[in-house]
């Protein structure tokens, strides 16, 4: 599957020169106050503007096309295996939710809930979805926007029971189902094995009916991989033990943030300025590995969070796995033999804050380019302002790979020693 995306694990190439500027302080370079970093590094760190321009100047269309092909073929997480020289068979197993109930288990579940009423009488379905981030305005349903949740719930409306349908009609609301998700994704973020659930009191609904309905909603943009009936206690978010994200960052040297003339002029104005001209993926790997096996507060790496969730346990995450490696993307077009070197960052944690992965990736690249120490991210945990971190990396590179409901097993990861 997806044989044309051939793997190539090699030494990390360096990227094209990052933007050079002629000012001695970050505040002068970017025109407004920057966070005052006190830990040492070999070069001046990129300002927020420089980091933003560098990130968005990459050839993201190649990554977007790669994710689109994975969704179109319904490859799921297994579609990424070949990218890292792995066997797809080792990643075909569905790890995205509770196993379907066997007939005996289903009978026991129904028997134990007899007479309890309410939610114990309903049928609960687990739905594993794959969708292309570039085709939707994120997961969460919003007025006048094309969202994944809006599309899914609209097509689940035909499976709503009569009682709920009547309630919706009385309130002049459209007859739609209610989909609960393991974790919301932002606009542009792809998901290969997202998990959501849907319940109904109807007894005639079959998993195959739900699967076919979703697959007909928007072909090639969203695909239902697995639909199964699960126990009443199953919740896609609260039952999850870990989530896995992959970020693909293009290392193509064609993208530039500023012109060569501008760069030469800036260096001449300040000959002592040492601009970071590249970053080493091996350095990024060393920096990001420091997060493994630790329960830390990632509030400094979050964005757009509510004030009530900006401190305390609500910001703490346990990172099971954090690695970076180099590989190559090949075009799905048989007539195109051009490849794109990319850096892949694989992160697995019990939970993630909003935009946390994208900020971690962007900040790791910035710190590696500046020649910071390997504990750079750990040092930033104590920062007093979110300007200490880099702006979020583009959403186009991020992918929710899968969600786990069993204990984490590192051997199932793509980037391992």
């Amino acid at each position: 599957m997806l044989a044309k995306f051939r793997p190539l694990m090699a030494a990390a190439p360096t990227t094209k020169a990052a933007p050079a500027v002629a000012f001695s302080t970050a505040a002068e370079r970017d025109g407004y106050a920057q966070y005052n970093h006190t830990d040492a590094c070999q070069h001046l760190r990129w300002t927020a503007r420089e980091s933003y321009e560098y990130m968005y100047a990459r050839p993201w269309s190649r990554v977007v096309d790669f994710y689109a092909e994975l969704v179109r073929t319904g490859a799921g997480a297994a579609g990424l295996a070949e990218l890292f020289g792995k066997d797809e068979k080792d990643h075909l197993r569905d790890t995205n939710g509770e196993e379907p109930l066997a007939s005996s288990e289903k009978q026991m579940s129904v028997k134990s809930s007899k007479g309890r009423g309410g939610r114990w009488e309903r049928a609960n379905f687990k739905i594993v979805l794959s969708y292309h981030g570039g085709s939707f305005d994120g997961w969460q349903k919003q007025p006048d926007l094309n969202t994944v949740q809006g599309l899914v719930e609209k097509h689940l409306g035909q499976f709503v029971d009569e009682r709920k349908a009547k309630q919706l009609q009385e309130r002049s609301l459209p007859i739609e189902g209610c989909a609960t998700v393991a974790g919301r994704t932002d606009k542009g973020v792809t998901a290969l094995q997202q998990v959501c659930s849907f319940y109904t009191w109807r007894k005639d609904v079959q998993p195959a009916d739900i699967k076919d309905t979703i697959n007909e909603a928007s072909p090639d943009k969203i695909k239902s991989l697995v639909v199964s009936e699960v126990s009443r206690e199953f919740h896609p978010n609260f039952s999850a033990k870990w989530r896995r994200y992959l970020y693909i960052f293009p290392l193509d040297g064609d993208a530039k943030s500023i012109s060569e003339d501008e760069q030469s002029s800036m260096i001449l104005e300040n000959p002592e300025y040492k601009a970071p001209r590249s970053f080493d993926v091996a350095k990024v790997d060393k920096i990001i590995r420091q997060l493994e096996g630790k329960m830390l507060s990632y509030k400094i790496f979050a964005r757009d969070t509510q004030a009530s969730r900006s401190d305390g346990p609500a910001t703490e995450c346990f990172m099971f796995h954090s690695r970076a490696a180099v590989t190559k993307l090949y075009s799905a077009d048989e007539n195109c033999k051009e490849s794109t070197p990319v850096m892949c960052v694989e992160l697995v944690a019990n939970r993630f804050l909003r935009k946390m992965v994208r900020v971690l990736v962007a900040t790791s690249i910035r710190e590696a380019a500046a020649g910071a120490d390997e504990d750079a991210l750990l040092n930033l945990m104590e920062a007093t302002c979110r300007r200490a971190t880099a702006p979020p990396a583009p959403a186009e590179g991020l992918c929710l790979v899968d969600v786990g409901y069993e204990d984490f097993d590192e051997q199932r990861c793509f980037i391992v020693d």
Side-chain angles (χ1 to χ4, degrees):
M1 187 177 292
L2 295 178
K4 300 179 183 60
F5 293 98
R6 304 182 186 277
L8 177 59
M9 302 302 293
T14 56
T15 60
K16 197 86 171 183
V21 293
F23 303 102
S24 58
T25 66
E28 291 174 334
R29 286 153 57 207
D30 217 20
Y32 63 91
Q34 295 285 337
Y35 186 83
N36 183 25
H37 293 274
T38 58
D39 52 318
C41 57
Q42 297 176 8
H43 309 285
L44 288 179
R45 289 178 173 85
W46 299 338
T47 65
R49 178 181 178 181
E50 292 166 351
S51 181
Y52 178 90
E53 291 178 347
Y54 181 75
M55 295 290 168
Y56 280 83
R58 317 310 298 168
W60 290 108
S61 61
R62 300 176 186 179
V63 178
V64 172
D65 291 343
F66 173 71
Y67 284 148
E69 182 71 5
L70 291 178
V71 173
R72 187 188 66 80
T73 59
L80 294 169
E82 192 174 1
L83 186 64
F84 299 94
K86 305 286 185 178
D87 190 345
E88 286 188 13
K89 296 180 180 179
D90 296 334
H91 298 270
L92 286 175
R93 177 170 150 263
D94 177 23
T95 63
N96 289 282
E98 204 172 278
E99 292 298 324
L101 289 176
S103 57
S104 59
E105 293 175 324
K106 185 174 180 180
Q107 292 174 3
M108 291 178 61
S109 176
V110 173
K111 184 178 180 180
S112 64
S113 63
K114 185 177 181 180
R116 299 181 69 173
R119 71 186 183 93
W120 297 97
E121 296 182 1
R122 70 193 185 195
N124 196 22
F125 295 92
K126 180 204 70 176
I127 306 171
V128 181
L129 292 173
S130 178
Y131 54 84
H132 182 231
S135 302
F136 298 95
D137 296 306
W139 166 269
Q140 187 173 1
K141 181 164 58 176
Q142 301 180 63
D144 302 322
L145 291 180
N146 180 31
T147 66
V148 180
Q149 183 182 16
L151 182 67
V152 170
E153 291 187 346
K154 177 181 178 181
H155 286 79
L156 289 176
Q158 61 183 284
F159 304 111
V160 170
D161 54 277
E162 294 182 4
R163 181 175 58 182
K164 184 174 182 179
K166 183 177 180 181
Q167 291 174 346
L168 292 172
Q169 287 179 335
E170 291 175 349
R171 298 168 60 186
S172 299
L173 296 175
I175 300 178
E176 297 179 343
C178 179
T180 304
V181 73
R184 293 175 294 181
T185 54
D186 292 330
K187 178 180 179 179
V189 177
T190 294
L192 296 183
Q193 292 184 192
Q194 172 72 281
V195 181
C196 67
S197 66
F198 161 74
Y199 65 84
T200 180
W201 274 265
R202 283 177 50 180
K203 305 301 181 183
D204 60 333
V205 178
Q206 299 298 318
D209 299 332
I210 297 176
K211 182 177 180 180
D212 293 342
T213 298
I214 294 177
N215 287 340
E216 293 171 359
S218 186
D220 296 338
K221 296 180 180 179
I222 183 170
K223 187 178 290 289
S224 177
L225 304 180
V226 179
V227 178
S228 54
E229 186 174 354
V230 292
S231 68
R232 280 67 162 170
E233 295 89 349
F234 173 76
H235 191 285
N237 185 9
F238 302 139
S239 300
K241 293 186 176 182
W242 51 264
R243 285 98 170 151
R244 175 165 52 161
Y245 279 91
L246 182 75
Y247 195 95
I248 299 181
F249 184 85
L251 298 176
D252 193 312
D254 292 335
K256 294 190 298 183
S257 299
I258 59 175
S259 68
E260 297 292 342
D261 292 338
E262 287 176 316
Q263 178 174 304
S264 300
S265 175
M266 291 173 179
I267 295 176
L268 287 173
E269 291 177 14
N270 187 359
E272 295 182 357
Y273 173 73
K274 296 182 179 179
R277 292 184 170 276
S278 64
F279 75 89
D280 185 3
V281 177
K283 181 70 172 181
V284 174
D285 182 54
K286 291 178 181 179
I287 289 175
I288 212 162
R289 280 190 187 221
Q290 301 302 311
L291 305 178
E292 277 191 13
K294 298 181 179 69
M295 176 71 78
L296 300 169
S297 173
Y298 286 86
K299 63 180 180 180
I300 202 67
F301 295 97
R303 295 292 187 273
D304 305 331
T305 54
Q306 299 177 3
S308 60
R309 296 178 60 86
S310 295
D311 201 3
T315 67
E316 294 177 354
C317 309
F318 184 86
M319 192 72 68
F320 291 102
H321 178 85
S322 52
R323 304 289 172 88
V326 177
T327 184
K328 283 193 175 184
L329 290 183
Y330 282 83
S331 174
D333 185 355
E334 295 181 355
N335 299 321
C336 181
K337 298 182 179 180
E338 183 181 1
S339 64
T340 302
V342 296
M343 175 184 71
C344 294
V345 178
E346 184 178 30
L347 299 176
V348 184
N350 64 332
R351 58 197 293 264
F352 289 91
L353 308 181
R354 188 171 185 189
K355 299 185 180 179
M356 171 179 153
V357 176
R358 293 163 58 191
V359 175
L360 277 173
V361 171
T363 305
S364 298
I365 292 175
R366 185 196 69 183
E367 296 300 302
D373 294 335
E374 294 178 9
D375 59 353
L377 296 182
L378 297 178
N379 293 335
L380 287 172
M381 298 289 179
E382 303 301 324
T384 58
C385 176
R386 286 176 175 172
R387 285 181 297 181
T389 57
E396 288 78 4
L398 185 58
C399 171
L400 172 61
V401 179
D402 52 7
V403 184
Y405 297 85
E406 71 290 337
D407 292 337
F408 171 69
D409 181 8
E410 188 175 34
Q411 295 306 311
R412 292 190 55 78
C413 292
F414 297 116
I415 307 175
V416 294
D417 293 331

